[in-house]
Amino acid sequence: MTEVDYFLSPLSPWVYLAGRRPFEVAARHGARMVLRPLDPAALFARTGGTVLADRHPNRKAYRDQELRRWSARLGVALNPHPRHFPVNPAPASYAVIAAQAAGGGDLAALIEGLGRAIWAEERDIATDEVIRDCLAQAGFDPGLADRGLLAGAETYARNLEAGVARGVFGVPTWVIGDEVIWGQDRLEFLEAHLAGLG
């Protein structure tokens, strides 16, 4: 079975906009999606990116336009300036790691729920209450928010190293072997690659 490594952060609006689509693409081609949450600020620092607060106003303005355009095209509610952004993505990432290891729920729903909490519901995904609610809504044991924190932290750090080693510089990114596909607007390339067309 083909394995798709999905490098992501639950903090990213682009991961939120990708939503279920990457999971659906993988399922159509019998591929296994493996979530690899990482720290986007650390990734930028390692690969030449710039966190939003330090970007030129022109880049910030264009980002706002792109978020507006894509949320309209996809029919996804999104506030480009939510109350709880940025926040520490580590606790939510640890929960994603724990949920993937535990199984029994819907990982796509968990990623969607965490994104919706920030970008549409004005909730803080660094809080235990919100993380537990998102886990429960996706069919996972909400107690995963409190378990395996050390293992989650170790995996989170390993994911960053693996991402840098494999050519990742932003999220969302899907890596299949040596093929790197970055951006929710490039899912057609993931589809084509898994179909053996590109």
Side-chain angles (χ1 to χ4, degrees), residues 49 90 103 120 129 145 152 154 160 174:
E129 176 188 358
E154 290 172 346
L160 175 63
W174 300 276

Side-chain angles (χ1 to χ4, degrees), residues 10-166:
L11 192 61
S12 167
W14 310 108
V15 168
Y16 169 53
L17 287 169
R20 288 189 162 275
R21 291 180 297 142
F23 297 88
E24 292 167 351
V25 169
R28 275 196 293 276
H29 298 283
R32 177 173 176 258
M33 186 72 73
V34 179
L35 305 186
R36 303 212 181 271
L38 49 71
D39 180 346
L43 179 66
F44 292 163
R46 296 275 297 277
T47 60
T50 305
V51 295
L52 182 62
D54 296 336
R55 291 179 195 163
H56 190 277
N58 291 0
R59 289 181 176 270
K60 292 179 184 179
Y62 186 77
R63 173 185 178 274
D64 286 352
Q65 289 183 26
E66 279 285 271
L67 289 174
R68 175 182 47 78
R69 285 190 284 256
W70 277 104
S71 65
R73 171 174 281 192
L74 297 169
V76 175
L78 186 147
N79 171 6
H81 302 282
R83 182 181 313 134
H84 300 289
F85 179 85
V87 296
N88 180 7
S93 296
Y94 298 168
V96 170
I97 291 164
Q100 181 167 246
D106 183 340
L107 287 170
L110 178 58
I111 298 303
E112 279 186 316
L114 289 165
R116 187 170 47 252
I118 302 168
W119 298 101
E121 299 172 348
E122 302 292 354
R123 298 164 76 200
D124 183 350
I125 66 161
T127 65
D128 194 58
E129 176 188 358
V130 173
I131 294 169
R132 285 174 162 275
D133 182 55
C134 290
L135 283 164
Q137 291 296 322
F140 292 101
D141 174 4
L144 290 172
D146 304 318
R147 294 199 294 272
L149 297 180
L150 178 57
E154 290 172 346
T155 300
Y156 191 57
R158 281 197 306 271
N159 288 344
L160 175 63
E161 296 305 319
V164 171
R166 296 184 70 193

